[in-house]
Amino acid sequence: MHIPPPRQPPDIWHALDLQELLTLLGTGRNGLSQEEAQKRLRQYGPNSLPPPKKSSWLSILFRQFTSPLILILLIAALLSALIHPESPADALFIIGVLILNAVIGTYQEGKAEQTSTALLHLLHIHAQVIRDEEVVDIDAEHLVPGDIAWLETGNRVPADIRLIQTHSLEIDESLLTGESLPVLKKPSWLGEATAPIADHQNMVYAGSVILRGRAKGVVVATGLATIVGQLTTDVLRSSGGRPPLIERMDKFTRVIAISILLAIILIGTVGIFLHGYPLIDMVFFGVALAVSAIPEGLPVALTVTLAIATTRMAGRGVIVRRLAAVEGLGSCTLIGSDKTGTLTCNELTVRTIVLANGISLEVTGEGFAPEGEVLLDKKELPANTFTDLYNVAQAAVLCNEGSLYQRHDNWRWRGDPLDVALLSMGVKVGLSRETALNQYPQINEIPFEPEYQYAATFHQEKDHVVVFVKGAPERVLGLCKFSDNRTKTRKMAEAASIAKQGYRVIALATATLAYDLDQSHVPPEPNDLTLLGFIGLIDPLRPGVHQAITTCRRSGIVVIVITGDHPDTALAIGRELGIAHDPEQVLTGQKLATMDMGQRSKALETINVFARVTPRQKLELVQTAQHKGHYVAVTGDGVNDAPALRQANIGVAMGRSGTDVAKESAELVISDDNFATLVAGIEEGRIAYDNVRKVIYLLVSTGAAEVILLGLTVTTGWPNIHPDQPLLPLLPAQLLWLNLVTNGIQDVALAFEPGESGTLQRPPRPPHECIFNRLMVERTLLAALVMAGVSYATFSWMIVQAGWSATKARSGLLFLMVLFEIVHIGNCRSERISALHLSPLKSPILLTGTILALLIHATAMHIPFMQRLLHIEPLAMTTYAILMALSLSILLVMEIHKWWLNEDAA
């Protein structure tokens, strides 16, 4: 029968008796059925907070008019209407252009925001719950009151949960209480209803982080009913500040704006005092030139470029959490990678068992499915060996937190890959965890933690307590008793021999306790253990990883492997990857502990594999690499990786195996945990950075050409019709139109440019190199001088030699400038590759945008309304052909410059 759980006030759950609480929630220790959970999900809604408030289209539209330059232009339009009420065309056109620009900008920003919002849905917190008496993994949004949930180290608590049982559970509740120290939880604690949240030892709250231990509990509140939900949705969400790249480009735009405004003031002063231009004409001219030349739309174009890259990255399995990381990933010069799960498949398989008496056994089969057998010299086991093997299997399945079971002829599993692999081995021997637990019920445990390097479980055997231990060989052997030191040394050599074959080695041991065990407290560290044997497991490389490492090396990216595994195991992986070949190329955490910054820096020049490394040492390696000038990307999946992920220039978390803390500490998330996917993300990052440079180059060079053209005309006083006044080559309305045709269509289309061939074959750019580097300055000035010089000479010829009217000459010049920008966009597609080698069909969006810009202008020249508005007229076909030939001069000059650059590089 469906019992709807009551909505108790959040300050009452900690004060209720556990059985009373379970009754109120209409649940039990075995959780809910799927049917009941679905009913409650419909009743209470998803376990989520309202998404960040999105900007409305109206507010985005309003933002397009907040630029000081746009406001100045509006004022200019108003002045024009007041001073020349009989001729409102210029004022109306200025306002029309501003409205059209605002519509385009609104569409671009709105699409970018929609892309970012859509990508948020790719990142989900998961939770493990009991449904239909089975532990299943679900999206945390589907949690409902009454669910029985499992929690473990590194998870972010997905809902408000009353604890049922815990093992060394420590929680970071600073999000709610402001206290930075971890809180030890006790499910047996029962407090007064008025006790403050900080004292609730039997509760964990949504948003807090599990620093250590494991727990089981019942969900009491979800979504807005949680403590966090009732306080504010902003507690769990960042402010969403603008990416640093965008901030830098804003500063760059302001520098360009100031430079151009100074130039306009200088040109205007010369025009007024030396050539007699009317003040009002120079005011309108100056404002129009400023808006035309200053790339005020650059931040929006950059945001669109990066948003496009995030979509492309998501398509290749790289989820972007912070927009600036798109460009940053493409700039990395060193990658510090985890081994397990990133370079390897993270599906361990037991391959060998070495018993305490030295007998070595082979285990067949692949993956987690227990399909295989245990052999001795390719034959069945003799009877006198089976007992020792059974004891090893018993320890392996009892000291275990995983689950492996069969449903409908399919094997299913949950838990750490090592635990699942040990359970699979146990089934091959003929022993399941359920059978072993029936004989030896578990009464306590010491869960595995990195600082322990072992795990232990305590079991009742009649009137005795038996402990089973598994862990790193050197740690477990230190807890064992031996007849003499030589025996211990020999066992250490056995473990090292197994590891040298590329296996991950686990030692198993047991003991019967001579003391009573207090089941309500964490047990003391076991000692005087009896060694049962060693298990060697292998985790094969992921498909494509070797090729990805080779690609990185060819791209000038250093790859180092940082792992907690045995040095010999790490060396075996290094050999497969081709980055280490002998033991001297592997550095252990023990040696790292004795090194200072200088020694670590020197080690990074020759060492690519680091083994038995602690989380602190991983952080120090990142800091050392940065000190050497590297732009560092680091992969990680655990809570202990969070410091290194935060310290790295680009933190990369694993999407499948990564903890919530690791994901929140990272800028990027790899959806399939595969290193090869990370390399694909680097390629997309480099493409994004290239496209950012292309957009900047196009906007700044064309704007600079307009400034130089107008500056030459005003300062030289040539050409002129009246002796005392030179003729302006372009009117304010024409400059604004040119800006609309160029910036409104083609710069955004350029952001869709696909990657160039060989993107991953070139070395990474220097980490501190400015986007507007020497090459771009050189190219910009050269392109601007060519376009301005040819335009100036052409306009002078039209007026002086050909005797054209001002309207006809300006029509020709305006068309020439449009052609220049269309041809020049071909130059912008690559810094080194000839535009003649880049097929326009490979970039259909850019081709469409370019054709559209040309058609719009050509059409405007033949529409009477636009002719009056822009003061233009149609031209003869021969004139179009001549202007098109002249526009190719920019292609010729830039091709020569690219050839010279490539020759110089060669």
Short mmCIF file of all heavy atoms in Angstrom, two decimals, residues 604-662:
data_model
loop_
_atom_site.label_atom_id
_atom_site.label_comp_id
_atom_site.label_asym_id
_atom_site.label_seq_id
_atom_site.Cartn_x
_atom_site.Cartn_y
_atom_site.Cartn_z
N LEU A 604 61.80 16.10 -13.74
CA LEU A 604 60.76 16.18 -14.76
C LEU A 604 61.33 16.24 -16.17
O LEU A 604 60.61 16.00 -17.14
CB LEU A 604 59.88 17.41 -14.52
CG LEU A 604 58.72 17.24 -13.52
CD1 LEU A 604 58.03 18.57 -13.27
CD2 LEU A 604 57.73 16.21 -14.02
N GLU A 605 62.60 16.54 -16.30
CA GLU A 605 63.21 16.61 -17.62
C GLU A 605 63.47 15.22 -18.20
O GLU A 605 63.57 15.07 -19.42
CB GLU A 605 64.53 17.39 -17.55
CG GLU A 605 64.35 18.86 -17.14
CD GLU A 605 65.69 19.57 -16.97
OE1 GLU A 605 66.73 18.93 -17.23
OE2 GLU A 605 65.69 20.75 -16.59
N THR A 606 63.58 14.22 -17.35
CA THR A 606 63.92 12.87 -17.82
C THR A 606 62.93 11.80 -17.39
O THR A 606 62.90 10.72 -17.98
CB THR A 606 65.33 12.48 -17.31
OG1 THR A 606 65.35 12.56 -15.88
CG2 THR A 606 66.39 13.41 -17.89
N ILE A 607 62.14 12.05 -16.35
CA ILE A 607 61.23 11.04 -15.80
C ILE A 607 59.82 11.27 -16.32
O ILE A 607 59.30 12.39 -16.27
CB ILE A 607 61.25 11.07 -14.27
CG1 ILE A 607 62.66 10.85 -13.74
CG2 ILE A 607 60.29 10.02 -13.71
CD1 ILE A 607 63.27 9.52 -14.10
N ASN A 608 59.16 10.19 -16.79
CA ASN A 608 57.79 10.28 -17.27
C ASN A 608 56.81 9.42 -16.48
O ASN A 608 55.60 9.50 -16.70
CB ASN A 608 57.71 9.87 -18.75
CG ASN A 608 58.45 10.82 -19.66
OD1 ASN A 608 59.57 10.55 -20.05
ND2 ASN A 608 57.83 11.94 -19.97
N VAL A 609 57.32 8.61 -15.56
CA VAL A 609 56.45 7.73 -14.78
C VAL A 609 56.77 7.91 -13.30
O VAL A 609 57.93 7.79 -12.89
CB VAL A 609 56.63 6.25 -15.19
CG1 VAL A 609 55.73 5.35 -14.33
CG2 VAL A 609 56.33 6.05 -16.67
N PHE A 610 55.74 8.20 -12.52
CA PHE A 610 55.88 8.40 -11.08
C PHE A 610 54.95 7.41 -10.37
O PHE A 610 53.75 7.39 -10.63
CB PHE A 610 55.53 9.83 -10.68
CG PHE A 610 56.45 10.86 -11.31
CD1 PHE A 610 56.19 11.33 -12.59
CD2 PHE A 610 57.55 11.33 -10.63
CE1 PHE A 610 57.03 12.27 -13.19
CE2 PHE A 610 58.40 12.27 -11.21
CZ PHE A 610 58.14 12.74 -12.49
N ALA A 611 55.53 6.58 -9.49
CA ALA A 611 54.77 5.50 -8.85
C ALA A 611 54.73 5.70 -7.34
O ALA A 611 55.58 6.39 -6.76
CB ALA A 611 55.41 4.16 -9.18
N ARG A 612 53.73 5.06 -6.72
CA ARG A 612 53.53 5.15 -5.27
C ARG A 612 53.52 6.62 -4.82
O ARG A 612 54.12 6.99 -3.82
CB ARG A 612 54.63 4.38 -4.52
CG ARG A 612 54.43 2.87 -4.51
CD ARG A 612 53.24 2.50 -3.61
NE ARG A 612 53.17 1.06 -3.38
CZ ARG A 612 52.37 0.22 -4.01
NH1 ARG A 612 51.56 0.67 -4.96
NH2 ARG A 612 52.35 -1.06 -3.73
N VAL A 613 52.82 7.43 -5.59
CA VAL A 613 52.77 8.86 -5.33
C VAL A 613 51.55 9.18 -4.46
O VAL A 613 50.45 8.70 -4.72
CB VAL A 613 52.71 9.64 -6.65
CG1 VAL A 613 52.51 11.13 -6.39
CG2 VAL A 613 53.98 9.42 -7.44
N THR A 614 51.74 10.01 -3.45
CA THR A 614 50.65 10.44 -2.59
C THR A 614 49.94 11.63 -3.24
O THR A 614 50.50 12.30 -4.13
CB THR A 614 51.16 10.85 -1.21
OG1 THR A 614 52.00 12.02 -1.35
CG2 THR A 614 51.97 9.72 -0.57
N PRO A 615 48.71 11.94 -2.80
CA PRO A 615 48.02 13.11 -3.35
C PRO A 615 48.82 14.40 -3.17
O PRO A 615 48.83 15.26 -4.05
CB PRO A 615 46.72 13.14 -2.54
CG PRO A 615 46.49 11.72 -2.16
CD PRO A 615 47.84 11.14 -1.92
N ARG A 616 49.49 14.54 -2.04
CA ARG A 616 50.30 15.74 -1.81
C ARG A 616 51.44 15.83 -2.81
O ARG A 616 51.75 16.91 -3.34
CB ARG A 616 50.85 15.72 -0.38
CG ARG A 616 51.80 16.86 -0.05
CD ARG A 616 51.10 18.19 -0.10
NE ARG A 616 52.02 19.31 0.07
CZ ARG A 616 51.68 20.58 -0.04
NH1 ARG A 616 50.42 20.89 -0.32
NH2 ARG A 616 52.57 21.52 0.12
N GLN A 617 52.07 14.70 -3.11
CA GLN A 617 53.17 14.70 -4.07
C GLN A 617 52.68 14.98 -5.49
O GLN A 617 53.39 15.59 -6.28
CB GLN A 617 53.90 13.36 -4.00
CG GLN A 617 54.71 13.19 -2.72
CD GLN A 617 55.22 11.78 -2.53
OE1 GLN A 617 54.66 10.82 -3.06
NE2 GLN A 617 56.31 11.64 -1.77
N LYS A 618 51.47 14.54 -5.80
CA LYS A 618 50.90 14.87 -7.11
C LYS A 618 50.72 16.37 -7.24
O LYS A 618 51.03 16.96 -8.29
CB LYS A 618 49.55 14.16 -7.29
CG LYS A 618 48.93 14.34 -8.67
CD LYS A 618 47.70 13.47 -8.85
CE LYS A 618 47.14 13.59 -10.26
NZ LYS A 618 45.98 12.70 -10.50
N LEU A 619 50.27 17.01 -6.17
CA LEU A 619 50.14 18.47 -6.16
C LEU A 619 51.50 19.13 -6.36
O LEU A 619 51.64 20.10 -7.13
CB LEU A 619 49.51 18.92 -4.84
CG LEU A 619 49.47 20.42 -4.57
CD1 LEU A 619 48.63 21.14 -5.62
CD2 LEU A 619 48.93 20.69 -3.17
N GLU A 620 52.53 18.62 -5.67
CA GLU A 620 53.87 19.20 -5.78
C GLU A 620 54.43 19.03 -7.20
O GLU A 620 55.12 19.92 -7.70
CB GLU A 620 54.80 18.54 -4.76
CG GLU A 620 54.48 18.92 -3.32
CD GLU A 620 55.30 18.13 -2.30
OE1 GLU A 620 55.91 17.12 -2.70
OE2 GLU A 620 55.32 18.52 -1.13
N LEU A 621 54.13 17.90 -7.85
CA LEU A 621 54.58 17.71 -9.22
C LEU A 621 53.94 18.73 -10.16
O LEU A 621 54.59 19.26 -11.07
CB LEU A 621 54.26 16.29 -9.69
CG LEU A 621 55.16 15.17 -9.16
CD1 LEU A 621 54.61 13.80 -9.54
CD2 LEU A 621 56.58 15.33 -9.69
N VAL A 622 52.66 19.02 -9.94
CA VAL A 622 51.98 20.03 -10.75
C VAL A 622 52.63 21.39 -10.54
O VAL A 622 52.91 22.13 -11.50
CB VAL A 622 50.48 20.08 -10.41
CG1 VAL A 622 49.80 21.25 -11.13
CG2 VAL A 622 49.80 18.77 -10.77
N GLN A 623 52.88 21.74 -9.29
CA GLN A 623 53.51 23.03 -8.99
C GLN A 623 54.90 23.12 -9.61
O GLN A 623 55.29 24.18 -10.13
CB GLN A 623 53.59 23.22 -7.48
CG GLN A 623 52.23 23.39 -6.81
CD GLN A 623 52.32 23.34 -5.30
OE1 GLN A 623 53.21 22.72 -4.73
NE2 GLN A 623 51.36 24.01 -4.64
N THR A 624 55.65 22.02 -9.56
CA THR A 624 56.99 22.01 -10.15
C THR A 624 56.93 22.22 -11.65
O THR A 624 57.71 22.99 -12.22
CB THR A 624 57.69 20.68 -9.84
OG1 THR A 624 57.76 20.49 -8.42
CG2 THR A 624 59.11 20.67 -10.40
N ALA A 625 56.01 21.53 -12.31
CA ALA A 625 55.87 21.69 -13.77
C ALA A 625 55.50 23.12 -14.13
O ALA A 625 56.01 23.68 -15.11
CB ALA A 625 54.82 20.70 -14.30
N GLN A 626 54.61 23.73 -13.34
CA GLN A 626 54.25 25.12 -13.60
C GLN A 626 55.43 26.05 -13.37
O GLN A 626 55.62 27.02 -14.10
CB GLN A 626 53.06 25.51 -12.71
CG GLN A 626 51.77 24.82 -13.10
CD GLN A 626 50.65 25.06 -12.10
OE1 GLN A 626 50.88 25.19 -10.89
NE2 GLN A 626 49.42 25.13 -12.58
N HIS A 627 56.23 25.74 -12.36
CA HIS A 627 57.42 26.54 -12.07
C HIS A 627 58.40 26.49 -13.25
O HIS A 627 59.13 27.46 -13.51
CB HIS A 627 58.09 26.05 -10.79
CG HIS A 627 59.30 26.83 -10.40
ND1 HIS A 627 59.21 28.10 -9.87
CD2 HIS A 627 60.63 26.53 -10.46
CE1 HIS A 627 60.44 28.56 -9.63
NE2 HIS A 627 61.31 27.62 -9.97
N LYS A 628 58.41 25.36 -13.95
CA LYS A 628 59.29 25.21 -15.11
C LYS A 628 58.72 25.91 -16.35
O LYS A 628 59.36 25.92 -17.41
CB LYS A 628 59.49 23.72 -15.44
CG LYS A 628 60.43 23.01 -14.49
CD LYS A 628 60.53 21.52 -14.81
CE LYS A 628 61.12 21.29 -16.20
NZ LYS A 628 62.52 21.72 -16.31
N GLY A 629 57.54 26.47 -16.25
CA GLY A 629 56.94 27.18 -17.38
C GLY A 629 55.93 26.39 -18.16
O GLY A 629 55.47 26.85 -19.22
N HIS A 630 55.56 25.21 -17.68
CA HIS A 630 54.57 24.40 -18.39
C HIS A 630 53.15 24.92 -18.11
O HIS A 630 52.86 25.45 -17.03
CB HIS A 630 54.64 22.93 -17.96
CG HIS A 630 55.77 22.17 -18.59
ND1 HIS A 630 55.80 21.88 -19.93
CD2 HIS A 630 56.91 21.64 -18.06
CE1 HIS A 630 56.89 21.20 -20.21
NE2 HIS A 630 57.59 21.04 -19.10
N TYR A 631 52.30 24.74 -19.11
CA TYR A 631 50.86 24.95 -18.94
C TYR A 631 50.28 23.55 -18.73
O TYR A 631 50.26 22.74 -19.65
CB TYR A 631 50.26 25.62 -20.17
CG TYR A 631 48.90 26.24 -19.94
CD1 TYR A 631 48.77 27.54 -19.49
CD2 TYR A 631 47.75 25.51 -20.18
CE1 TYR A 631 47.52 28.11 -19.29
CE2 TYR A 631 46.50 26.06 -19.99
CZ TYR A 631 46.40 27.37 -19.54
OH TYR A 631 45.16 27.93 -19.33
N VAL A 632 49.82 23.25 -17.51
CA VAL A 632 49.61 21.87 -17.07
C VAL A 632 48.13 21.49 -17.08
O VAL A 632 47.29 22.21 -16.54
CB VAL A 632 50.19 21.66 -15.65
CG1 VAL A 632 50.02 20.20 -15.22
CG2 VAL A 632 51.67 22.06 -15.62
N ALA A 633 47.86 20.33 -17.67
CA ALA A 633 46.55 19.69 -17.55
C ALA A 633 46.73 18.44 -16.70
O ALA A 633 47.69 17.69 -16.88
CB ALA A 633 45.98 19.32 -18.92
N VAL A 634 45.82 18.22 -15.76
CA VAL A 634 45.92 17.08 -14.84
C VAL A 634 44.60 16.32 -14.85
O VAL A 634 43.53 16.92 -14.83
CB VAL A 634 46.24 17.55 -13.41
CG1 VAL A 634 46.08 16.42 -12.41
CG2 VAL A 634 47.66 18.09 -13.34
N THR A 635 44.70 14.99 -14.90
CA THR A 635 43.50 14.17 -14.80
C THR A 635 43.38 13.60 -13.39
O THR A 635 44.39 13.35 -12.73
CB THR A 635 43.53 13.00 -15.80
OG1 THR A 635 44.55 12.07 -15.43
CG2 THR A 635 43.80 13.50 -17.21
N GLY A 636 42.16 13.42 -12.93
CA GLY A 636 41.93 12.87 -11.61
C GLY A 636 40.50 12.41 -11.47
O GLY A 636 39.61 12.84 -12.20
N ASP A 637 40.27 11.50 -10.50
CA ASP A 637 38.91 11.01 -10.30
C ASP A 637 38.48 10.98 -8.84
O ASP A 637 37.30 10.83 -8.55
CB ASP A 637 38.75 9.60 -10.89
CG ASP A 637 39.77 8.61 -10.31
OD1 ASP A 637 40.49 9.00 -9.37
OD2 ASP A 637 39.83 7.48 -10.81
N GLY A 638 39.41 11.13 -7.91
CA GLY A 638 39.08 11.01 -6.50
C GLY A 638 39.12 12.32 -5.75
O GLY A 638 39.62 13.33 -6.24
N VAL A 639 38.60 12.30 -4.52
CA VAL A 639 38.63 13.49 -3.68
C VAL A 639 40.06 13.90 -3.38
O VAL A 639 40.36 15.08 -3.22
CB VAL A 639 37.82 13.24 -2.39
CG1 VAL A 639 38.48 12.16 -1.53
CG2 VAL A 639 37.68 14.52 -1.58
N ASN A 640 40.97 12.93 -3.32
CA ASN A 640 42.36 13.26 -3.04
C ASN A 640 43.05 13.93 -4.23
O ASN A 640 44.14 14.46 -4.09
CB ASN A 640 43.14 11.99 -2.66
CG ASN A 640 42.71 11.45 -1.32
OD1 ASN A 640 42.41 12.21 -0.41
ND2 ASN A 640 42.67 10.14 -1.20
N ASP A 641 42.43 13.86 -5.40
CA ASP A 641 42.98 14.52 -6.57
C ASP A 641 42.57 15.99 -6.65
O ASP A 641 43.11 16.74 -7.47
CB ASP A 641 42.53 13.82 -7.86
CG ASP A 641 43.11 12.43 -8.00
OD1 ASP A 641 44.31 12.27 -7.70
OD2 ASP A 641 42.38 11.51 -8.39
N ALA A 642 41.61 16.40 -5.83
CA ALA A 642 41.06 17.75 -5.91
C ALA A 642 42.12 18.83 -5.79
O ALA A 642 42.11 19.80 -6.56
CB ALA A 642 39.96 17.94 -4.86
N PRO A 643 43.09 18.75 -4.83
CA PRO A 643 44.11 19.81 -4.76
C PRO A 643 44.90 19.95 -6.06
O PRO A 643 45.16 21.06 -6.51
CB PRO A 643 45.00 19.35 -3.60
CG PRO A 643 44.12 18.51 -2.75
CD PRO A 643 43.22 17.80 -3.72
N ALA A 644 45.30 18.83 -6.65
CA ALA A 644 46.07 18.89 -7.90
C ALA A 644 45.20 19.41 -9.05
O ALA A 644 45.68 20.16 -9.90
CB ALA A 644 46.62 17.51 -8.25
N LEU A 645 43.93 19.04 -9.07
CA LEU A 645 43.03 19.52 -10.12
C LEU A 645 42.84 21.03 -10.03
O LEU A 645 42.79 21.72 -11.04
CB LEU A 645 41.68 18.81 -10.02
CG LEU A 645 41.65 17.32 -10.39
CD1 LEU A 645 40.30 16.70 -10.03
CD2 LEU A 645 41.94 17.14 -11.88
N ARG A 646 42.72 21.53 -8.80
CA ARG A 646 42.57 22.98 -8.62
C ARG A 646 43.85 23.72 -8.97
O ARG A 646 43.82 24.82 -9.52
CB ARG A 646 42.16 23.28 -7.18
CG ARG A 646 40.76 22.84 -6.82
CD ARG A 646 40.32 23.46 -5.50
NE ARG A 646 39.02 22.98 -5.08
CZ ARG A 646 38.82 22.05 -4.17
NH1 ARG A 646 39.86 21.49 -3.58
NH2 ARG A 646 37.62 21.66 -3.84
N GLN A 647 45.00 23.13 -8.62
CA GLN A 647 46.27 23.79 -8.87
C GLN A 647 46.61 23.82 -10.35
O GLN A 647 47.22 24.77 -10.84
CB GLN A 647 47.39 23.05 -8.11
CG GLN A 647 48.79 23.60 -8.36
CD GLN A 647 48.97 25.02 -7.82
OE1 GLN A 647 48.41 25.36 -6.78
NE2 GLN A 647 49.72 25.83 -8.54
N ALA A 648 46.21 22.80 -11.09
CA ALA A 648 46.54 22.70 -12.51
C ALA A 648 45.92 23.85 -13.29
O ALA A 648 44.90 24.42 -12.89
CB ALA A 648 46.07 21.37 -13.07
N ASN A 649 46.54 24.20 -14.39
CA ASN A 649 45.94 25.21 -15.27
C ASN A 649 44.62 24.72 -15.83
O ASN A 649 43.66 25.48 -15.97
CB ASN A 649 46.90 25.54 -16.41
CG ASN A 649 48.22 26.09 -15.92
OD1 ASN A 649 49.19 25.36 -15.77
ND2 ASN A 649 48.27 27.37 -15.64
N ILE A 650 44.57 23.43 -16.14
CA ILE A 650 43.33 22.80 -16.61
C ILE A 650 43.14 21.50 -15.84
O ILE A 650 43.94 20.57 -15.98
CB ILE A 650 43.37 22.50 -18.12
CG1 ILE A 650 43.54 23.79 -18.92
CG2 ILE A 650 42.10 21.78 -18.56
CD1 ILE A 650 42.36 24.73 -18.86
N GLY A 651 42.10 21.44 -15.02
CA GLY A 651 41.78 20.21 -14.31
C GLY A 651 40.80 19.39 -15.11
O GLY A 651 39.80 19.91 -15.62
N VAL A 652 41.09 18.10 -15.25
CA VAL A 652 40.25 17.21 -16.06
C VAL A 652 39.78 16.05 -15.19
O VAL A 652 40.59 15.24 -14.73
CB VAL A 652 41.03 16.67 -17.28
CG1 VAL A 652 40.11 15.81 -18.14
CG2 VAL A 652 41.62 17.81 -18.09
N ALA A 653 38.49 15.99 -14.93
CA ALA A 653 37.93 14.92 -14.09
C ALA A 653 37.34 13.82 -14.96
O ALA A 653 36.97 14.04 -16.13
CB ALA A 653 36.86 15.48 -13.17
N MET A 654 37.24 12.65 -14.38
CA MET A 654 36.65 11.51 -15.09
C MET A 654 35.14 11.50 -14.90
O MET A 654 34.65 11.65 -13.78
CB MET A 654 37.25 10.20 -14.57
CG MET A 654 38.76 10.09 -14.74
SD MET A 654 39.29 10.12 -16.47
CE MET A 654 39.93 11.80 -16.62
N GLY A 655 34.41 11.33 -15.98
CA GLY A 655 32.96 11.41 -15.91
C GLY A 655 32.30 10.19 -15.33
O GLY A 655 31.28 10.29 -14.65
N ARG A 656 32.85 8.99 -15.58
CA ARG A 656 32.23 7.76 -15.09
C ARG A 656 32.69 7.43 -13.69
O ARG A 656 31.89 7.22 -12.78
CB ARG A 656 32.54 6.60 -16.04
CG ARG A 656 31.86 6.72 -17.40
CD ARG A 656 32.18 5.51 -18.26
NE ARG A 656 31.52 5.57 -19.56
CZ ARG A 656 31.69 4.68 -20.52
NH1 ARG A 656 32.50 3.65 -20.34
NH2 ARG A 656 31.07 4.82 -21.68
N SER A 657 34.00 7.36 -13.51
CA SER A 657 34.54 6.94 -12.22
C SER A 657 34.83 8.10 -11.30
O SER A 657 35.10 7.90 -10.12
CB SER A 657 35.84 6.14 -12.44
OG SER A 657 36.82 6.95 -13.07
N GLY A 658 34.78 9.33 -11.80
CA GLY A 658 35.15 10.49 -10.99
C GLY A 658 34.15 10.79 -9.89
O GLY A 658 32.94 10.67 -10.08
N THR A 659 34.67 11.21 -8.74
CA THR A 659 33.80 11.63 -7.65
C THR A 659 33.26 13.03 -7.93
O THR A 659 33.80 13.77 -8.77
CB THR A 659 34.58 11.65 -6.32
OG1 THR A 659 35.66 12.59 -6.44
CG2 THR A 659 35.13 10.28 -5.99
N ASP A 660 32.20 13.40 -7.21
CA ASP A 660 31.62 14.72 -7.39
C ASP A 660 32.62 15.82 -7.05
O ASP A 660 32.64 16.87 -7.70
CB ASP A 660 30.37 14.87 -6.50
CG ASP A 660 29.34 13.79 -6.78
OD1 ASP A 660 29.29 13.33 -7.94
OD2 ASP A 660 28.62 13.40 -5.85
N VAL A 661 33.45 15.59 -6.03
CA VAL A 661 34.43 16.59 -5.64
C VAL A 661 35.44 16.81 -6.76
O VAL A 661 35.80 17.94 -7.08
CB VAL A 661 35.16 16.16 -4.35
CG1 VAL A 661 36.25 17.15 -3.99
CG2 VAL A 661 34.16 16.04 -3.20
N ALA A 662 35.89 15.73 -7.38
CA ALA A 662 36.83 15.85 -8.48
C ALA A 662 36.21 16.63 -9.64
O ALA A 662 36.85 17.50 -10.24
CB ALA A 662 37.29 14.47 -8.95
#
